[in-house]
PDB file of all heavy atoms in Angstrom:
ATOM      1  N   ASP A   1     151.640 -57.053 160.842  1.00  0.00           N
ATOM      2  CA  ASP A   1     152.578 -55.948 160.323  1.00  0.00           C
ATOM      3  C   ASP A   1     154.023 -56.486 160.011  1.00  0.00           C
ATOM      4  O   ASP A   1     154.621 -55.877 159.140  1.00  0.00           O
ATOM      5  CB  ASP A   1     152.639 -54.751 161.347  1.00  0.00           C
ATOM      6  CG  ASP A   1     152.726 -55.116 162.651  1.00  0.00           C
ATOM      7  OD1 ASP A   1     153.538 -56.169 162.957  1.00  0.00           O
ATOM      8  OD2 ASP A   1     152.443 -54.352 163.481  1.00  0.00           O
ATOM      9  N   ARG A   2     154.363 -57.615 160.531  1.00  0.00           N
ATOM     10  CA  ARG A   2     155.733 -58.130 160.216  1.00  0.00           C
ATOM     11  C   ARG A   2     155.576 -59.737 160.264  1.00  0.00           C
ATOM     12  O   ARG A   2     154.712 -60.377 160.964  1.00  0.00           O
ATOM     13  CB  ARG A   2     156.830 -57.833 161.167  1.00  0.00           C
ATOM     14  CG  ARG A   2     157.042 -56.299 161.079  1.00  0.00           C
ATOM     15  CD  ARG A   2     158.129 -55.883 162.112  1.00  0.00           C
ATOM     16  NE  ARG A   2     158.531 -54.627 162.043  1.00  0.00           N
ATOM     17  CZ  ARG A   2     157.894 -53.484 162.243  1.00  0.00           C
ATOM     18  NH1 ARG A   2     156.717 -53.567 162.925  1.00  0.00           N
ATOM     19  NH2 ARG A   2     158.253 -52.231 162.077  1.00  0.00           N
ATOM     20  N   ALA A   3     156.336 -60.296 159.404  1.00  0.00           N
ATOM     21  CA  ALA A   3     156.447 -61.739 159.232  1.00  0.00           C
ATOM     22  C   ALA A   3     157.905 -62.151 158.999  1.00  0.00           C
ATOM     23  O   ALA A   3     158.714 -61.524 158.420  1.00  0.00           O
ATOM     24  CB  ALA A   3     155.512 -62.270 158.188  1.00  0.00           C
ATOM     25  N   TRP A   4     158.200 -63.249 159.663  1.00  0.00           N
ATOM     26  CA  TRP A   4     159.550 -63.911 159.404  1.00  0.00           C
ATOM     27  C   TRP A   4     159.351 -65.304 158.726  1.00  0.00           C
ATOM     28  O   TRP A   4     158.601 -66.210 159.455  1.00  0.00           O
ATOM     29  CB  TRP A   4     160.290 -64.154 160.844  1.00  0.00           C
ATOM     30  CG  TRP A   4     160.607 -62.665 161.434  1.00  0.00           C
ATOM     31  CD1 TRP A   4     161.859 -62.149 161.400  1.00  0.00           C
ATOM     32  CD2 TRP A   4     159.788 -61.943 162.220  1.00  0.00           C
ATOM     33  NE1 TRP A   4     161.834 -60.930 161.933  1.00  0.00           N
ATOM     34  CE2 TRP A   4     160.517 -60.718 162.513  1.00  0.00           C
ATOM     35  CE3 TRP A   4     158.548 -61.904 162.530  1.00  0.00           C
ATOM     36  CZ2 TRP A   4     159.996 -59.679 163.251  1.00  0.00           C
ATOM     37  CZ3 TRP A   4     157.962 -60.877 163.359  1.00  0.00           C
ATOM     38  CH2 TRP A   4     158.661 -59.809 163.619  1.00  0.00           C
ATOM     39  N   THR A   5     159.816 -65.492 157.569  1.00  0.00           N
ATOM     40  CA  THR A   5     159.531 -66.678 156.854  1.00  0.00           C
ATOM     41  C   THR A   5     160.864 -67.479 156.587  1.00  0.00           C
ATOM     42  O   THR A   5     162.024 -66.994 156.944  1.00  0.00           O
ATOM     43  CB  THR A   5     159.006 -66.268 155.503  1.00  0.00           C
ATOM     44  OG1 THR A   5     160.063 -65.480 154.696  1.00  0.00           O
ATOM     45  CG2 THR A   5     157.741 -65.532 155.648  1.00  0.00           C
ATOM     46  N   ASN A   6     160.710 -68.509 156.024  1.00  0.00           N
ATOM     47  CA  ASN A   6     161.817 -69.475 155.681  1.00  0.00           C
ATOM     48  C   ASN A   6     162.750 -69.596 156.948  1.00  0.00           C
ATOM     49  O   ASN A   6     164.051 -69.436 156.860  1.00  0.00           O
ATOM     50  CB  ASN A   6     162.668 -68.871 154.498  1.00  0.00           C
ATOM     51  CG  ASN A   6     163.808 -69.809 154.066  1.00  0.00           C
ATOM     52  OD1 ASN A   6     163.654 -70.990 154.246  1.00  0.00           O
ATOM     53  ND2 ASN A   6     164.683 -69.278 153.214  1.00  0.00           N
ATOM     54  N   ALA A   7     162.128 -69.989 158.061  1.00  0.00           N
ATOM     55  CA  ALA A   7     162.836 -70.194 159.261  1.00  0.00           C
ATOM     56  C   ALA A   7     162.603 -71.585 159.943  1.00  0.00           C
ATOM     57  O   ALA A   7     161.557 -72.157 159.645  1.00  0.00           O
ATOM     58  CB  ALA A   7     162.318 -69.188 160.267  1.00  0.00           C
ATOM     59  N   ARG A   8     163.521 -71.938 160.774  1.00  0.00           N
ATOM     60  CA  ARG A   8     163.216 -73.085 161.577  1.00  0.00           C
ATOM     61  C   ARG A   8     163.008 -72.637 163.000  1.00  0.00           C
ATOM     62  O   ARG A   8     163.659 -71.886 163.482  1.00  0.00           O
ATOM     63  CB  ARG A   8     164.392 -74.073 161.383  1.00  0.00           C
ATOM     64  CG  ARG A   8     164.601 -74.725 160.153  1.00  0.00           C
ATOM     65  CD  ARG A   8     165.805 -75.517 160.031  1.00  0.00           C
ATOM     66  NE  ARG A   8     166.998 -74.774 159.871  1.00  0.00           N
ATOM     67  CZ  ARG A   8     168.330 -75.304 159.819  1.00  0.00           C
ATOM     68  NH1 ARG A   8     168.391 -76.565 159.878  1.00  0.00           N
ATOM     69  NH2 ARG A   8     169.285 -74.555 159.596  1.00  0.00           N
ATOM     70  N   LEU A   9     161.980 -73.235 163.567  1.00  0.00           N
ATOM     71  CA  LEU A   9     161.483 -72.690 164.846  1.00  0.00           C
ATOM     72  C   LEU A   9     161.702 -73.717 166.023  1.00  0.00           C
ATOM     73  O   LEU A   9     161.408 -74.849 165.817  1.00  0.00           O
ATOM     74  CB  LEU A   9     160.057 -72.348 164.835  1.00  0.00           C
ATOM     75  CG  LEU A   9     159.409 -71.496 163.658  1.00  0.00           C
ATOM     76  CD1 LEU A   9     157.854 -71.303 163.844  1.00  0.00           C
ATOM     77  CD2 LEU A   9     160.226 -70.212 163.583  1.00  0.00           C
ATOM     78  N   ALA A  10     162.156 -73.113 167.068  1.00  0.00           N
ATOM     79  CA  ALA A  10     162.101 -73.875 168.325  1.00  0.00           C
ATOM     80  C   ALA A  10     161.139 -73.133 169.358  1.00  0.00           C
ATOM     81  O   ALA A  10     161.497 -72.171 169.972  1.00  0.00           O
ATOM     82  CB  ALA A  10     163.586 -73.984 169.076  1.00  0.00           C
ATOM     83  N   THR A  11     159.702 -73.534 169.291  1.00  0.00           N
ATOM     84  CA  THR A  11     158.859 -72.754 169.927  1.00  0.00           C
ATOM     85  C   THR A  11     158.739 -72.840 171.471  1.00  0.00           C
ATOM     86  O   THR A  11     158.229 -71.993 172.144  1.00  0.00           O
ATOM     87  CB  THR A  11     157.404 -73.175 169.413  1.00  0.00           C
ATOM     88  OG1 THR A  11     157.243 -74.587 169.827  1.00  0.00           O
ATOM     89  CG2 THR A  11     157.329 -73.081 167.879  1.00  0.00           C
ATOM     90  N   MET A  12     159.441 -73.864 171.912  1.00  0.00           N
ATOM     91  CA  MET A  12     159.471 -74.154 173.374  1.00  0.00           C
ATOM     92  C   MET A  12     158.170 -74.443 173.988  1.00  0.00           C
ATOM     93  O   MET A  12     158.006 -74.510 175.243  1.00  0.00           O
ATOM     94  CB  MET A  12     160.084 -73.061 174.128  1.00  0.00           C
ATOM     95  CG  MET A  12     161.536 -72.688 173.648  1.00  0.00           C
ATOM     96  SD  MET A  12     162.723 -73.917 173.782  1.00  0.00           S
ATOM     97  CE  MET A  12     164.005 -73.290 172.730  1.00  0.00           C
ATOM     98  N   CYS A  13     157.068 -74.668 173.121  1.00  0.00           N
ATOM     99  CA  CYS A  13     155.814 -74.989 173.633  1.00  0.00           C
ATOM    100  C   CYS A  13     155.396 -76.427 173.309  1.00  0.00           C
ATOM    101  O   CYS A  13     154.164 -76.657 173.257  1.00  0.00           O
ATOM    102  CB  CYS A  13     154.831 -74.071 173.248  1.00  0.00           C
ATOM    103  SG  CYS A  13     154.646 -73.677 171.600  1.00  0.00           S
ATOM    104  N   GLY A  14     156.305 -77.233 173.052  1.00  0.00           N
ATOM    105  CA  GLY A  14     155.882 -78.673 172.795  1.00  0.00           C
ATOM    106  C   GLY A  14     155.780 -79.484 173.941  1.00  0.00           C
ATOM    107  O   GLY A  14     155.879 -78.933 175.199  1.00  0.00           O
ATOM    108  N   ASP A  15     155.445 -80.709 173.877  1.00  0.00           N
ATOM    109  CA  ASP A  15     155.341 -81.631 175.103  1.00  0.00           C
ATOM    110  C   ASP A  15     155.977 -82.977 174.701  1.00  0.00           C
ATOM    111  O   ASP A  15     156.259 -83.307 173.601  1.00  0.00           O
ATOM    112  CB  ASP A  15     153.925 -81.638 175.634  1.00  0.00           C
ATOM    113  CG  ASP A  15     152.870 -82.044 174.531  1.00  0.00           C
ATOM    114  OD1 ASP A  15     153.340 -82.704 173.529  1.00  0.00           O
ATOM    115  OD2 ASP A  15     151.837 -81.641 174.777  1.00  0.00           O
ATOM    116  N   GLY A  16     155.764 -83.962 175.557  1.00  0.00           N
ATOM    117  CA  GLY A  16     156.261 -85.280 175.435  1.00  0.00           C
ATOM    118  C   GLY A  16     157.753 -85.414 174.893  1.00  0.00           C
ATOM    119  O   GLY A  16     158.714 -84.805 175.611  1.00  0.00           O
ATOM    120  N   ALA A  17     157.912 -86.052 173.836  1.00  0.00           N
ATOM    121  CA  ALA A  17     159.338 -86.258 173.370  1.00  0.00           C
ATOM    122  C   ALA A  17     159.940 -84.972 172.659  1.00  0.00           C
ATOM    123  O   ALA A  17     161.147 -84.940 172.338  1.00  0.00           O
ATOM    124  CB  ALA A  17     159.383 -87.520 172.386  1.00  0.00           C
ATOM    125  N   ASP A  18     159.110 -83.978 172.365  1.00  0.00           N
ATOM    126  CA  ASP A  18     159.621 -82.818 171.674  1.00  0.00           C
ATOM    127  C   ASP A  18     159.016 -81.564 172.410  1.00  0.00           C
ATOM    128  O   ASP A  18     158.270 -80.782 171.909  1.00  0.00           O
ATOM    129  CB  ASP A  18     159.029 -82.770 170.198  1.00  0.00           C
ATOM    130  CG  ASP A  18     159.508 -81.548 169.566  1.00  0.00           C
ATOM    131  OD1 ASP A  18     160.490 -80.863 169.835  1.00  0.00           O
ATOM    132  OD2 ASP A  18     158.799 -81.109 168.538  1.00  0.00           O
ATOM    133  N   ARG A  19     159.650 -81.343 173.627  1.00  0.00           N
ATOM    134  CA  ARG A  19     159.290 -80.177 174.433  1.00  0.00           C
ATOM    135  C   ARG A  19     159.833 -78.921 173.789  1.00  0.00           C
ATOM    136  O   ARG A  19     159.316 -77.800 174.102  1.00  0.00           O
ATOM    137  CB  ARG A  19     159.739 -80.381 175.814  1.00  0.00           C
ATOM    138  CG  ARG A  19     158.977 -81.441 176.573  1.00  0.00           C
ATOM    139  CD  ARG A  19     159.190 -81.230 178.030  1.00  0.00           C
ATOM    140  NE  ARG A  19     160.590 -81.468 178.520  1.00  0.00           N
ATOM    141  CZ  ARG A  19     161.073 -80.999 179.707  1.00  0.00           C
ATOM    142  NH1 ARG A  19     160.203 -80.442 180.529  1.00  0.00           N
ATOM    143  NH2 ARG A  19     162.311 -81.200 179.968  1.00  0.00           N
ATOM    144  N   LEU A  20     160.776 -78.996 172.892  1.00  0.00           N
ATOM    145  CA  LEU A  20     161.311 -77.794 172.227  1.00  0.00           C
ATOM    146  C   LEU A  20     160.373 -77.283 171.192  1.00  0.00           C
ATOM    147  O   LEU A  20     160.638 -76.186 170.652  1.00  0.00           O
ATOM    148  CB  LEU A  20     162.642 -77.866 171.698  1.00  0.00           C
ATOM    149  CG  LEU A  20     163.805 -78.348 172.772  1.00  0.00           C
ATOM    150  CD1 LEU A  20     165.164 -78.462 172.006  1.00  0.00           C
ATOM    151  CD2 LEU A  20     163.884 -77.294 173.758  1.00  0.00           C
ATOM    152  N   GLY A  21     159.454 -78.154 170.694  1.00  0.00           N
ATOM    153  CA  GLY A  21     158.480 -77.725 169.775  1.00  0.00           C
ATOM    154  C   GLY A  21     159.062 -77.247 168.498  1.00  0.00           C
ATOM    155  O   GLY A  21     158.796 -76.240 167.984  1.00  0.00           O
ATOM    156  N   LEU A  22     159.820 -78.207 167.919  1.00  0.00           N
ATOM    157  CA  LEU A  22     160.562 -77.934 166.664  1.00  0.00           C
ATOM    158  C   LEU A  22     159.791 -77.909 165.455  1.00  0.00           C
ATOM    159  O   LEU A  22     158.945 -78.659 165.288  1.00  0.00           O
ATOM    160  CB  LEU A  22     161.831 -78.780 166.470  1.00  0.00           C
ATOM    161  CG  LEU A  22     162.630 -78.951 167.728  1.00  0.00           C
ATOM    162  CD1 LEU A  22     163.832 -80.008 167.522  1.00  0.00           C
ATOM    163  CD2 LEU A  22     163.274 -77.500 168.065  1.00  0.00           C
ATOM    164  N   ILE A  23     159.882 -76.921 164.598  1.00  0.00           N
ATOM    165  CA  ILE A  23     159.135 -76.933 163.361  1.00  0.00           C
ATOM    166  C   ILE A  23     160.182 -76.664 162.239  1.00  0.00           C
ATOM    167  O   ILE A  23     160.978 -75.496 162.263  1.00  0.00           O
ATOM    168  CB  ILE A  23     158.198 -75.762 163.299  1.00  0.00           C
ATOM    169  CG1 ILE A  23     157.080 -75.959 164.368  1.00  0.00           C
ATOM    170  CG2 ILE A  23     157.555 -75.549 162.010  1.00  0.00           C
ATOM    171  CD1 ILE A  23     156.160 -74.898 164.587  1.00  0.00           C
ATOM    172  N   ASP A  24     160.365 -77.336 161.242  1.00  0.00           N
ATOM    173  CA  ASP A  24     161.388 -77.345 160.290  1.00  0.00           C
ATOM    174  C   ASP A  24     161.362 -76.125 159.326  1.00  0.00           C
ATOM    175  O   ASP A  24     162.211 -75.472 158.945  1.00  0.00           O
ATOM    176  CB  ASP A  24     161.633 -78.682 159.451  1.00  0.00           C
ATOM    177  CG  ASP A  24     162.904 -78.699 158.653  1.00  0.00           C
ATOM    178  OD1 ASP A  24     163.893 -78.552 159.115  1.00  0.00           O
ATOM    179  OD2 ASP A  24     162.652 -78.884 157.371  1.00  0.00           O
ATOM    180  N   ASN A  25     160.143 -75.873 158.851  1.00  0.00           N
ATOM    181  CA  ASN A  25     159.844 -74.870 157.859  1.00  0.00           C
ATOM    182  C   ASN A  25     158.750 -74.024 158.515  1.00  0.00           C
ATOM    183  O   ASN A  25     157.593 -74.336 158.208  1.00  0.00           O
ATOM    184  CB  ASN A  25     159.503 -75.382 156.502  1.00  0.00           C
ATOM    185  CG  ASN A  25     159.206 -74.358 155.533  1.00  0.00           C
ATOM    186  OD1 ASN A  25     159.591 -73.101 155.647  1.00  0.00           O
ATOM    187  ND2 ASN A  25     158.563 -74.607 154.384  1.00  0.00           N
ATOM    188  N   GLY A  26     159.096 -72.968 159.207  1.00  0.00           N
ATOM    189  CA  GLY A  26     158.126 -72.225 159.958  1.00  0.00           C
ATOM    190  C   GLY A  26     158.049 -70.684 159.571  1.00  0.00           C
ATOM    191  O   GLY A  26     158.839 -70.165 158.810  1.00  0.00           O
ATOM    192  N   VAL A  27     156.959 -70.164 160.154  1.00  0.00           N
ATOM    193  CA  VAL A  27     156.626 -68.702 160.018  1.00  0.00           C
ATOM    194  C   VAL A  27     156.323 -68.135 161.302  1.00  0.00           C
ATOM    195  O   VAL A  27     155.465 -68.838 162.053  1.00  0.00           O
ATOM    196  CB  VAL A  27     155.565 -68.574 158.880  1.00  0.00           C
ATOM    197  CG1 VAL A  27     155.136 -67.065 158.771  1.00  0.00           C
ATOM    198  CG2 VAL A  27     155.990 -68.995 157.579  1.00  0.00           C
ATOM    199  N   ILE A  28     156.726 -66.969 161.506  1.00  0.00           N
ATOM    200  CA  ILE A  28     156.160 -66.163 162.603  1.00  0.00           C
ATOM    201  C   ILE A  28     155.602 -64.983 162.122  1.00  0.00           C
ATOM    202  O   ILE A  28     156.293 -64.228 161.314  1.00  0.00           O
ATOM    203  CB  ILE A  28     157.329 -66.039 163.672  1.00  0.00           C
ATOM    204  CG1 ILE A  28     157.726 -67.276 164.314  1.00  0.00           C
ATOM    205  CG2 ILE A  28     156.737 -65.065 164.683  1.00  0.00           C
ATOM    206  CD1 ILE A  28     158.929 -67.000 165.355  1.00  0.00           C
TER     207      ILE A  28
END
């Protein structure tokens, strides 16, 4: 029912060297 586009995401569910789970061009 809702979407957020053209966003950069810090998902916080990464691991290893990128635990912030960064996504440069993301959608929720």
